[in-house]
Structures are given as structure tokens and as C-alpha cells.
Amino acid sequence: GDARIRGLPFTSKTDSDITGWMGTASVNLTNIASSSYINADVEDGRSYIRFVENIDDGQRDLLNVANFNHGTSDVYCCVSYPVD
């Protein structure tokens, strides 16, 4: 399944003009393409963070648990999102 950080203290605001709120993320020792970069993402109306891999050809993919190495992967992220 998708890799998520659950239990954010608030549910994000639902906004019909956008689909989510993006933040920064840094990952270490993960199985992703070397030319990719990662964003932290909070979807509308959700209380968890997902991680989006932005691939050099313009595609996007959600990171899943298989992208991480147990006991060695690190994730650092910062995301701000409005609430209702």
C-alpha cells in the first residue's frame, strides 16, 4: 500500500479549486529513480501525509512501503495545510 504518515492533528480543508497541499520531503535509502524528487502531499479532506515521486519525464507516482528499506530508510518532511 501507499506509504503514509497518519494521525495529523487536523483534517485538511476541502477546496474545490485544488486537489491537495504540497510540502517538501527528503528521503534517504529508498528505492526510487536517481533523477526523481519527492514531495509530501496532504489530499483535500485527509489527515495523513503521502509521498509523491516526481519522475524526470513528468510522471508522478505515490511511494509505497516497498520503496523503503526496513530499519535503514529515513524520511524528513514539512507540509503546511489549511483546515476548516
Side-chain angles (χ1 to χ4, degrees), residues 7-24:
L8 297 179
F10 304 102
T11 300
S12 68
K13 180 178 181 175
T14 300
D15 188 327
S16 61
D17 294 329
I18 60 172
T19 59
W21 313 96
M22 284 291 196
T24 59

Side-chain angles (χ1 to χ4, degrees), residues 25-40 51-63 67:
S26 175
V27 295
N28 186 26
L29 299 171
T30 55
N31 301 315
I32 61 171
S34 62
S35 58
S36 296
Y37 64 94
I38 306 299
N39 283 108
F51 298 97
V52 179
E53 178 182 11
N54 298 279
I55 305 166
D56 64 353
D57 62 1
Q59 295 181 33
R60 299 176 72 205
D61 190 23
L62 293 176
L63 293 186
N67 292 111

